[in-house]
Structure formats: C-alpha cells, structure tokens
C-alpha cells in the first residue's frame, strides 16, 4: 500500500456504540488517549435498556448500527457495551470486514493476570445470563472464581437522572450486600453505565475494590490499532447520533463527556 493510501485508511473514523450514555465512560478515555482519531458515537436510546432484551433483538440492534457505520467507511467499531459484547459479538463479527472491539473479550486477559482469586461482576441480566465474564476470564485462568450478579435497575438510575437519590443508594446497597457474601477481591463494573454509580457505590464499599474495565479496554484498542492509528496531528472530528432523546443523552452523559452539539436523530428500525 502506498503511503498516501495508508494515510487515507488511517484517517477513517472509529465508530462507538452503546444503548445510551454508558459507552461515554469508554469514549471519554479513548478521546483523551487518542485525540487525533476521528470518532463517531451511536447511543441507541430507543432500545434502552439492552439488559432485558432477547438475543435476537440484541443481534439485530448491533447489526443495524454496524450497517449504519459501514456508510462512513469506518476502520473499526468499538462495542462500548458489555451486553452487546456478551450477546451479539460472536454473530456479527462474521458479517463485517472491519475490526470490531468487544469490551469483555478485549479486557479478560489483562483482568485474569491481576493477582486475584475471587472476582465479582455486576452486570445487566443479559450479560449475566451469558456468563461471558466467567467464560472469558477462566479461559486465561481457570482457577479464578467468578460470581456474576445482575443489577437490572441500575441503567435506569443512570439514564433516569437518579444518581445520588435514596432509590439509587438503596439499590446499590442491596446488590453490594449480596455480593459481599461472596467476599470478592475485586468487583468488575461489567456494564458501561455502572461507573456513573461509583459515587453511590463508594458510600458503602472502598473505591479500590472496583474495576472499571474502560481503561484496560482503551489501552488494548490503542495497542491493537498500532500502525492503523491516525498519523495526522490535528484534533480528530467527532459526530454523535442517537435513536431517541438527544437532549437527555447530552445531559446525563455530562459526568463523563461533554457533547457540545445536539446529536443527530437516526432511526435504524
Ligand atoms: N451499557 C451497556 C452495557 O455495558 C448496556 C446497558 C443496558 O442498556 O442495559 O451492558
């Protein structure tokens, strides 16, 4: 490949997606680490929450978003959603010829190498049902015990603007009480929405007990893209899309990322 066509390829955008603002906890770290990349973000708020959807529905949403991203000639897509990584990735990875990064599978090796014997996972019902964290971590270290607990109401707490309320505090306490019976060395926040609840969680449990995989994920993507990273040293452009509730998305996402212009509404159904 000539240098100019390589440069052309490298400057193609990277698409991110999640059901809502959760993926911004990954996206914000990515933009900080790789500000020259051109990036797109799709928040599928019309189908929120993903955690109570069926396998077929989740595969359908992911397929539609990746087909949408195909029009932008993306060089890669980041599944900034644990539920979609757990349920849809294995199917859709065969259907597209660009690189697809799923959060769980991309982080499992690094997590399995941390010296731990018991890991707790808080995740959505669909992620827990798949046991994706248990399977992926035990692939690298079968000795590690993994206990996955579903927190079906947590995404609504974040997307409904209920952080810090009595409802949120009662809910995080209830799930922490259940998890601490297992006495985990660390607890993975296995849904990209859950880092928004860290303030509430740390009222009852120490901060250093939680693993937010987003940093590990961004490091993995950066090193895997390697020579395919944009060589241009200007700040990359970014574009946001949502399938519903553009203003709500901007407001709730502020904790992690300031989206400066209202996202474009796109209906993929
Ligand atoms: N943030 C997503 C995840 O990591 C989806 C949560 C949901 O919509 O239920 O699983």
């Amino acid at each position: 490949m000539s240098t100019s066509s390589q440069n052309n390829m490298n400057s193609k955008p990277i698409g991110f997606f999640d059901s809502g603002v959760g993926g911004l906890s990954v996206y914000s770290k990515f933009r900080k680490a790789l500000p020259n990349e051109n990036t797109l973000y799709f928040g599928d708020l019309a189908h929120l929450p993903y955690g109570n959807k069926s396998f077929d529905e989740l595969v359908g949403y992911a397929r539609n978003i990746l087909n949408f991203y195909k029009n932008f000639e993306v060089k890669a897509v980041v599944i900034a959603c644990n539920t979609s990584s757990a349920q849809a990735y294995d199917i859709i990875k065969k259907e597209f010829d660009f690189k697809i990064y799923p959060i769980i599978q991309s982080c499992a090796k690094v997590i399995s190498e941390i010296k731990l014997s018991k890991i707790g996972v808080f995740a959505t019902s669909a992620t827990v049902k798949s046991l994706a964290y248990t399977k992926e971590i035990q692939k690298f270290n079968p000795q590690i015990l993994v206990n996955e607990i579903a927190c079906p109401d947590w995404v609504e707490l974040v997307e409904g603007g209920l952080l810090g309320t009595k409802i949120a505090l009662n809910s995080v306490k209830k799930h922490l009480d259940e998890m601490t019976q297992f006495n985990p060395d660390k607890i993975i926040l296995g849904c990209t929405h859950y880092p928004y609840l860290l303030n509430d969680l740390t009222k009852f449990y120490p901060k250093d007990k939680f693993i937010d995989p987003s940093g590990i994920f961004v490091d993995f993507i950066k090193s895997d893209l390697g020579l395919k990273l944009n060589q241009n040293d200007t700040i990359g452009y970014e574009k946001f899309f949502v399938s519903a509730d553009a203003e709500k998305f901007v407001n709730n996402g502020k904790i992690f990322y300031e989206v400066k212009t209202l996202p474009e509404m796109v209906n993929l159904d």
Side-chain angles (χ1 to χ4, degrees):
M1 205 187 282
S2 73
T3 316
S4 75
S5 58
Q6 183 66 51
N7 284 347
N8 193 21
M9 177 66 198
N10 290 2
S11 63
K12 290 191 167 147
I14 299 174
F16 289 70
F17 80 89
D18 178 47
S19 60
V21 294
L24 291 176
S25 60
V26 174
Y27 182 82
S28 59
K29 289 210 174 81
F30 184 91
R31 290 290 307 187
K32 216 174 250 166
L34 296 164
N36 305 330
E37 290 302 315
N38 295 313
T39 51
L40 311 170
Y41 186 101
F42 192 96
D44 195 8
L45 281 89
H47 300 122
L48 189 84
Y50 274 8
N52 64 10
K53 300 298 185 299
S54 68
F55 169 79
D56 286 345
E57 284 171 313
L58 291 164
V59 170
Y61 304 151
R63 183 179 287 134
N64 287 349
I65 295 167
L66 266 62
N67 272 321
F68 172 71
Y69 276 153
K70 218 165 139 182
N71 304 324
F72 293 86
E73 296 184 45
V74 288
K75 66 180 176 191
V77 167
V78 175
I79 309 185
C81 171
N82 291 264
T83 309
S84 190
S85 300
Q87 295 276 350
Y89 171 66
D90 277 343
I91 301 292
I92 54 159
K93 72 178 177 197
K94 303 180 193 125
E95 300 176 6
F96 296 88
D97 56 10
F98 43 76
K99 184 90 197 194
I100 303 172
Y101 293 106
I103 183 164
I104 301 174
Q105 296 84 338
S106 306
C107 298
K109 185 169 186 293
V110 172
I111 293 172
S112 74
E113 287 163 357
I114 309 173
K115 295 248 165 301
L116 304 168
S117 53
K118 283 172 148 195
I119 301 184
V121 179
F122 282 142
T124 67
S125 302
T127 300
V128 170
K129 197 167 142 211
S130 75
L131 289 179
Y133 267 104
T134 307
K135 288 179 197 153
E136 293 297 323
I137 290 171
Q138 290 182 344
K139 239 187 228 173
F140 298 101
N141 185 347
Q143 313 302 333
I144 300 184
L145 291 178
V146 185
N147 182 29
E148 305 197 30
I149 290 181
C151 309
D153 47 337
W154 284 10
V155 168
E156 305 281 16
L157 296 176
V158 177
E159 297 280 350
L162 294 168
L163 300 178
T165 62
K166 214 167 167 190
I167 304 173
L169 292 170
N170 285 342
S171 178
V172 299
K173 182 160 183 331
K174 184 181 96 189
H175 292 300
L176 275 169
D177 284 347
E178 189 187 346
M179 181 62 90
T180 46
Q181 287 174 31
F182 170 67
N183 197 20
D185 300 315
K186 297 269 183 195
I187 302 172
I188 299 172
L189 299 175
C191 167
T192 53
H193 280 80
Y194 296 176
Y196 285 81
L197 284 156
L198 256 179
N199 264 346
D200 293 344
L201 286 160
T202 51
K203 297 227 159 63
F204 305 102
Y205 210 55
K207 193 167 183 191
D208 64 3
K209 281 281 193 181
F210 296 101
I211 299 177
D212 169 1
S214 58
I216 298 169
F217 191 28
V218 169
D219 287 347
F220 177 84
I221 300 165
K222 185 175 171 183
S223 89
D224 194 74
L225 280 173
L227 295 172
K228 295 198 189 84
L229 288 170
N230 198 359
Q231 305 307 317
N232 208 330
D233 57 10
T234 52
I235 299 293
Y237 67 77
E238 52 181 349
K239 217 167 168 359
F240 290 88
F241 307 92
V242 291
S243 52
D245 297 320
E247 278 171 33
K248 212 169 116 186
F249 173 81
V250 173
N251 282 331
N252 288 330
K254 269 187 194 137
I255 295 178
F256 275 98
Y257 199 76
E258 202 186 328
V259 178
K260 293 196 184 77
T261 48
L262 212 56
E264 190 180 314
M265 286 283 289
V266 179
N267 181 356
L268 301 178
D269 289 331

